[in-house]
Amino acid sequence: DGCIKAVGQADVIRNQFSEATFERIIDCSGKCVLPGLVDAHTHPVWAGDRVHEFAMKLAGASYMEIHQAGGGIHFTVEHTRKATEDELLTAFQQRLGRMLRAGSTLVECKSGYGLNLESELKMLRVIERARKSMDIGISSTYCGAHAVPKGKTATEATDDIINNHLPKLKELKLSGEINVNNIDVFCEKGVFDVESTRRILEAGKDIGLQINFHGDELHPMKSAELGAELGARAISHLEEVSDEGIVAMARAKCAAVLLPTTAYMLRLKQPQARKMLEEGVIVALGSDFNPNAYCYSMPMVMHLACVNMKMSMNEALAAATINAAYALGKSDTHGSLEVGKQGDLLIINSSRWEHLIYQFGGHEALINYVIVKGKVIYENERCETMRSY
């Protein structure tokens, strides 16, 4: 059934299963077995290349300046609306393949580059098709409130989402056509304010979606306090979170999904990972893969979290496995090697697991096998011929 049957000392396991036959036995001598990595925040369905914006950022343009100049989310929206469902699916599957080879076995995937009902549903159908056709685990997020569409005010966009988008999603969810897990809003100055965010998140919760949204990224918005009050499962970014917000999240057992790539790429203030951990917040990590932060690799994300956010390697590994699974409401089935949980694991070509974080950008010769539901879905031949260090 793809679930873990036993965990323990090798001799005990050999005894217990002495009569069993196996299709395949993998010799892990001198290697490490780890839980499959969980990427708790990505935007992987889109069309249109934004490499030109990287040069603008390096020249000093801010995120909001690029956004106001017609770049950023709006540039991607324009290209995503024009792309066919099949074109989006092909690009999305290739991206998921790269995430998988970097060790991610469960990935949260958002819509949000459609901003009208037709295009948002197109993105959600693409996510659903990938979920059904690929081995990688997917948690699907409706993020229709990612930006205010051109020609609308935030209030008009909010009304459209509540009156048109969410009822349609509920209908498609009930018919089994699209299975959406989470609702997301970009709660930010100049995008969706706290009141609009509250209305959308409550309406999403009413149709059975978990609240998992962008908050306190560029300006302090008291998003963390709002999320704690609404019973949010997780809030992402939190570069500008208040001390009160951190305490509220800890009390509410609301996970903080920190995104080291975004703070790094946009040269923002680093999220206060240490303070959150000391206050008892459940800290998770995500790659924030999107045209603005083009990173597929959770090992690289863990490295940045350790160096820039002062997390220990143990904390980073927990944040990229069990805590990230918690942020997606899946910690009872994913994120650790325990009896009864789904058999998602990595075998790395090193006798010390820390190499997965220590080798910055080195995962291509380090990840030997990626296993999902007990089935080898990626085997890296290069590992057999070379030591990883």
Side-chain angles (χ1 to χ4, degrees):
D1 61 1
C3 293
I4 296 169
K5 287 288 164 278
V7 177
Q9 296 295 332
D11 51 352
V12 177
I13 299 274
R14 282 198 190 99
N15 248 342
Q16 192 181 341
F17 292 90
S18 57
E19 304 300 310
T21 55
F22 296 93
E23 265 173 55
R24 180 170 186 188
I25 293 173
I26 298 173
D27 182 358
C28 296
S29 307
K31 299 185 178 182
C32 277
V33 182
L34 289 167
L37 303 177
V38 180
D39 189 340
H41 183 122
T42 79
H43 301 258
V45 183
W46 46 268
D49 192 348
R50 271 165 51 192
V51 68
H52 61 283
E53 287 182 12
F54 189 47
M56 293 165 72
K57 286 190 199 92
L58 296 179
S62 75
Y63 177 87
M64 285 316 255
E65 281 165 357
I66 290 169
H67 188 68
Q68 279 148 8
I73 292 172
H74 289 308
F75 179 90
T76 305
V77 167
E78 194 183 321
H79 287 78
T80 304
R81 283 180 178 177
K82 285 177 190 161
T84 67
E85 198 173 302
D86 285 345
E87 284 168 344
L88 290 174
L89 181 66
T90 301
F92 179 40
Q93 287 175 322
Q94 287 173 349
R95 290 164 191 156
L96 287 174
R98 287 178 71 177
M99 290 175 180
L100 193 69
R101 293 191 291 278
S104 293
T105 54
L106 173 61
V107 180
E108 184 265 3
C109 300
K110 301 177 191 295
S111 71
Y113 292 121
L115 304 187
N116 60 28
L117 181 56
E118 180 195 347
S119 302
E120 286 295 309
L121 290 179
K122 176 172 69 174
M123 294 180 75
L124 292 169
R125 276 196 303 273
V126 165
I127 294 170
E128 191 62 30
R129 283 173 68 184
R131 191 209 297 269
K132 287 176 176 161
S133 64
M134 294 184 75
D135 292 301
I136 195 167
I138 289 175
S139 177
S140 171
T141 301
Y142 163 74
C143 186
H146 194 198
V148 177
K150 284 183 177 171
K152 275 194 164 79
T153 65
T155 305
E156 287 166 345
T158 301
D159 290 341
D160 184 35
I161 287 165
I162 292 168
N163 300 328
N164 300 312
H165 292 215
L166 293 176
K168 187 65 181 171
L169 267 193
K170 184 182 180 181
E171 180 193 314
L172 294 170
K173 209 169 178 249
L174 287 172
S175 70
E177 213 175 307
I178 294 178
N179 181 23
V180 181
N181 306 104
N182 315 289
I183 180 139
D184 191 352
V185 175
F186 187 15
C187 181
E188 184 54 71
K189 192 174 170 184
V191 192
F192 289 92
D193 64 16
V194 170
E195 203 36 57
S196 298
T197 300
R198 175 194 294 278
R199 289 179 59 210
I200 295 168
L201 294 177
E202 284 179 335
K205 191 177 181 180
D206 287 345
I207 66 162
L209 301 178
Q210 294 182 123
I211 295 176
N212 187 335
F213 72 110
H214 291 61
D216 295 328
E217 179 186 358
L218 305 171
H219 297 92
M221 301 285 291
K222 296 205 181 304
S223 303
E225 291 89 329
L226 173 69
E229 181 199 328
L230 296 179
R233 169 55 67 161
I235 305 170
S236 291
H237 282 293
L238 300 165
E239 287 86 351
E240 297 287 346
V241 69
S242 69
D243 291 351
E244 295 76 18
I246 291 174
V247 171
M249 286 179 72
R251 284 202 191 116
K253 292 190 164 42
C254 170
V257 179
L258 305 184
L259 308 169
T261 53
T262 318
Y264 168 75
M265 286 281 293
L266 296 178
R267 296 168 172 155
L268 302 176
K269 188 166 82 182
Q270 293 291 331
Q272 299 178 69
R274 286 260 49 88
K275 187 171 177 61
M276 290 179 194
L277 289 161
E278 281 154 19
E279 293 286 355
V281 175
I282 297 160
V283 172
L285 289 171
S287 66
D288 197 13
F289 173 80
N290 74 78
N292 172 57
Y294 207 104
C295 175
Y296 293 104
S297 164
M298 286 303 289
M300 205 171 270
V301 168
M302 290 190 282
H303 179 99
L304 288 172
C306 292
V307 174
N308 288 341
M309 297 185 344
K310 302 181 171 58
M311 291 174 76
S312 72
M313 286 191 283
N314 286 9
E315 288 165 345
L317 183 66
T321 52
I322 189 70
N323 291 2
Y326 175 89
L328 303 178
K330 288 186 176 285
S331 52
D332 53 342
T333 52
H334 293 70
S336 58
L337 303 180
E338 296 180 72
V339 173
K341 284 198 172 184
Q342 190 167 299
D344 293 3
L345 42 129
L346 309 182
I347 297 170
I348 67 164
N349 188 24
S350 167
S351 58
R352 295 199 49 177
W353 71 265
E354 290 92 343
H355 273 272
L356 193 61
I357 297 176
Y358 164 62
Q359 290 189 23
F360 187 43
H363 63 264
E364 285 184 14
L366 194 58
I367 294 174
N368 200 163
Y369 296 89
V370 179
I371 295 167
V372 174
K373 293 184 183 170
K375 188 173 90 178
V376 174
I377 53 170
Y378 170 62
E379 184 172 350
N380 185 349
E381 309 289 343
R382 260 183 285 186
C383 290
E384 303 314 323
T385 57
M386 62 191 291
R387 292 292 297 270
S388 69
Y389 53 92

